[in-house]
Amino acid sequence: LEAYRYSAGKFSMSFCVFELTGEDVVDFLQNQSTYNFKELVAQTFHMMSFLDPHGKVEFYCWALNKMHSVLLLVPTKLKEVAHVRLEKFLISEDVTITDLGEQIWTVVLGPRAQAKGFKGIMLEEEAYFTQEDLDIPSLNERELYLWRSLNGWPDFQGENFSSELINNLRLYDLSVSQNK
């Protein structure tokens, strides 16, 4: 892992992708998620969680802020609950939720990471979500699992997800804005 921590590496994941468009997208995500979405500038990403009224996590995802829309990259195992949750609280806002299906996204991370895409933090490193094909070393599944586990990041596919109070999860540190 040292090679990636001081250079750059990549891994690819399959996500279910929802695109949110409309005049009220920012306010909708601001009101519904744990992240202060108004701080997310264009061409960046951040992890966010969506909670039930009791503070239990219903699902988590990565929000990619495009210029005029937002992509939500949802772990594949959490697709149905995410879609139901998003639609449930969409009442009078001007927001359209489009299911773009399953897509492969590449995460490029490390201090020398550069890519055309969305910049943010992944596994405690500067990273990019991109769909471009880059000629840099790939992390194997064992390395990715180790890196993810050492940093306490949730499973990218939602395999081990259980609805718990966000205060009891690492998601609290990763997806909650303290200044919201």
Side-chain angles (χ1 to χ4, degrees):
L1 297 180
E2 292 296 312
Y4 305 115
R5 297 233 34 235
Y6 296 105
S7 184
K10 69 179 179 180
F11 63 92
S12 295
M13 299 299 300
S14 179
F15 292 99
C16 294
V17 180
F18 295 100
E19 183 172 31
L20 281 65
T21 56
E23 293 292 319
D24 298 329
V25 169
V26 171
D27 289 335
F28 177 72
L29 291 173
Q30 180 75 12
N31 294 333
Q32 296 298 320
S33 76
T34 58
Y35 182 66
N36 188 354
F37 193 80
K38 292 182 178 184
E39 293 181 351
L40 193 64
V41 298
Q43 293 308 118
T44 61
F45 75 87
H46 201 281
M47 182 178 237
M48 57 178 34
S49 297
F50 290 77
L51 310 178
D52 72 9
H54 305 289
K56 290 184 177 183
V57 178
E58 290 188 307
F59 78 97
Y60 55 91
C61 64
W62 287 265
L64 285 57
N65 192 359
K66 294 172 76 174
M67 189 63 70
H68 301 289
S69 67
V70 175
L71 298 176
L72 297 183
L73 276 53
V74 177
T76 55
K77 298 287 183 185
L78 303 178
K79 177 185 180 176
E80 292 306 316
V81 70
H83 195 247
V84 168
R85 171 61 170 79
L86 291 169
E87 293 286 349
K88 179 179 181 179
F89 290 99
L90 184 60
I91 299 168
S92 63
E93 295 88 357
D94 176 20
V95 176
T96 302
I97 301 168
T98 306
D99 182 349
L100 300 180
E102 211 167 301
Q103 297 179 2
I104 303 294
W105 282 81
T106 299
V107 176
V108 181
L109 71 165
R112 297 180 191 233
Q114 292 198 1
K116 293 178 185 170
F118 301 87
K119 187 177 182 178
I121 301 292
M122 176 72 77
L123 302 174
E124 313 308 327
E125 300 289 337
E126 281 191 22
Y128 292 86
F129 266 111
T130 184
Q131 289 187 305
E132 80 179 314
D133 187 25
L134 299 168
D135 186 27
I136 59 173
S138 293
L139 281 83
N140 64 43
E141 285 194 35
R142 183 182 163 284
E143 292 168 327
L144 179 58
Y145 174 79
L146 180 61
W147 203 343
R148 188 182 62 73
S149 298
L150 288 172
N151 287 304
W153 281 67
D155 180 18
F156 298 129
Q157 297 306 305
E159 293 281 341
N160 301 317
F161 174 75
S162 64
S163 182
E164 293 184 36
L165 287 173
I166 195 160
N167 297 14
N168 299 337
L169 301 170
R170 174 79 162 106
L171 281 172
Y172 182 81
D173 301 318
L174 300 172
S175 67
V176 175
S177 294
Q178 300 300 318
N179 60 350
K180 183 174 174 182

